[in-house]
Amino acid sequence: MIEDDARTALAERLAELDRLDAISAEGRAPVTLQQDSVGRLSRMDAMQQQAMAQAEERRRQAERSRIRAALERLDEGEWGYCVQCGEEIAEGRLSNDPSVAKCVACASGS
């Protein structure tokens, strides 16, 4: 039953990431010089906004990769087990983030 919930949560999060990408597309576009916005500070501000939007896109791409990997583990029957040591991942940890791939011990480097 928890696997079905995980699959649903992962699919919903992928849809949310797609929605966020669509919203932020304009912010990631190349910065162009606008005639009504004069001065170096205006351009620097626009470039900073663009850099922040691009960094956020990279974070969303990384999360997408984790979600796709979790969906593959679900398909293969490997979801819920640590990819490093093979031990079962705590249910609370999986409920909090169904894309998690490692148990607490392996994730902390212990």
Side-chain angles (χ1 to χ4, degrees):
M1 174 89 163
I2 191 169
E3 289 180 5
D4 291 337
D5 294 338
R7 191 178 299 277
T8 300
L10 291 167
E12 288 173 357
R13 183 60 184 155
L14 277 176
E16 176 69 8
L17 291 171
D18 289 342
R19 187 184 71 76
L20 291 170
D21 270 350
I23 290 171
S24 70
E26 185 178 317
R28 295 186 315 267
V31 176
T32 57
L33 182 60
Q34 298 176 354
Q35 297 303 320
D36 59 343
S37 155
V38 180
R40 191 177 84 172
L41 291 178
S42 298
R43 182 159 172 80
M44 288 174 58
D45 184 51
M47 290 172 66
Q48 182 181 25
Q49 293 294 328
Q50 177 194 38
M52 290 178 1
Q54 290 171 340
E56 187 61 35
E57 179 187 26
R58 287 189 296 273
R59 283 190 287 277
R60 284 193 298 272
Q61 290 292 17
E63 185 176 356
R64 263 192 200 88
S65 294
R66 287 192 307 273
I67 290 171
R68 287 187 186 113
L71 289 169
E72 285 180 23
R73 289 192 303 277
L74 275 163
D75 291 343
E76 296 168 356
E78 296 293 322
W79 182 82
Y81 296 94
C82 179
V83 297
Q84 188 169 334
C85 71
E87 293 295 319
E88 201 168 329
I89 298 172
E91 189 173 326
R93 183 167 168 80
L94 290 169
S95 294
N96 184 50
D97 181 1
S99 68
V100 72
K102 294 182 180 181
C103 66
V104 172
C106 291
S108 65
S110 301

